[in-house]
Amino acid sequence: TVELRLRELVVTVIDQQGVPIPEHIAAHVRDRIHKDRRKGLLPVTDGDAPTATQVQYFDLRELEDLIVSKTAWSTFEPRFKGKEQLISRFAQLSELRNAIRHTRSVSQIVQKDGEAALLWFGSQLSGVPAPIPALEN
């Protein structure tokens, strides 16, 4: 839920505020989209894919990179306040997400840090904490 909300926010900011996608992220996204087009998973079109499609191809850390980039931070700062805390919360969220996604065991510390990140992002994104997924210990 948090990751989807972050993606929606990034799409809105790019489309409405004209925030550019940093070139290092855009290059990775173009490569991923091109691979999916070759596989027949996306229609072949002229020009760039719509913003929402491009953002689907961001990984979690690329969302972070865009948000904290020099060109975008001033737009996101009112919502997230401190860049250092945002970076820390992304690290916590990413560690938990990747452990779950790759079916690795999750220590209690990683779990609690991830839960704290989920709560923090939930409050920053909507004013209401995001639900915390149940984890097996």
Side-chain angles (χ1 to χ4, degrees), residues 2 4 19-20 22 26 28 35 37 45 63 66 73 80-81 86 100 113 115 122-123 130 136:
V2 166
L4 293 174
V19 170
H28 289 145
K35 285 179 187 175
R37 283 183 174 153
T45 60
L63 289 171
L66 181 136
W73 178 244
F80 295 114
K81 315 293 185 281
L86 177 68
I100 292 169
D113 282 348
E115 289 171 355
S123 68
E136 293 181 22

Side-chain angles (χ1 to χ4, degrees), residues 69-89:
S69 69
K70 288 181 183 179
T71 56
W73 178 244
S74 62
T75 304
F76 289 100
E77 186 175 19
R79 178 178 298 272
F80 295 114
K81 315 293 185 281
K83 191 183 284 191
E84 294 77 23
Q85 182 166 9
L86 177 68
I87 291 168
S88 174
R89 297 299 185 182

